[in-house]
Amino acid sequence: MNFEEELWVKLYTRDTASWLSLSFMARSVFLHLLRKCDRAGVVYLGKSGARAVCGLIGGAEKRSEIDAAVR
């Protein structure tokens, strides 16, 4: 793997009250979605919308939990 050509995202590490008020699953989904963003920070979900998140982040076995976290 050539890391010099890989995309990367900046991740702040401070745990704010807003961040900690999210469920663990919501925070996890957000962090996984960061890896799927384009350079503008956009995640294209197509016509499926929020239902596409499970497939996009590879969490089909946790569909109900991920759906609840996204809503």
Side-chain angles (χ1 to χ4, degrees), residues 11-23 27 30:
L11 180 64
Y12 294 104
T13 59
R14 180 174 299 179
D15 289 334
T16 63
S18 298
W19 177 253
L20 294 173
S21 69
L22 297 172
S23 69
R27 290 181 293 196
F30 176 75

Side-chain angles (χ1 to χ4, degrees), residues 1-18:
M1 177 177 268
N2 187 356
F3 286 105
E4 294 172 355
E5 296 179 10
E6 290 294 317
L7 293 177
W8 60 277
V9 294
K10 187 174 186 175
L11 180 64
Y12 294 104
T13 59
R14 180 174 299 179
D15 289 334
T16 63
S18 298

Side-chain angles (χ1 to χ4, degrees), residues 29 33 45 49-59 66-67 70:
V29 169
L33 283 175
L45 299 176
R51 293 182 298 150
V53 171
C54 292
L56 187 66
I57 65 173
I66 293 171
D67 285 343
V70 171

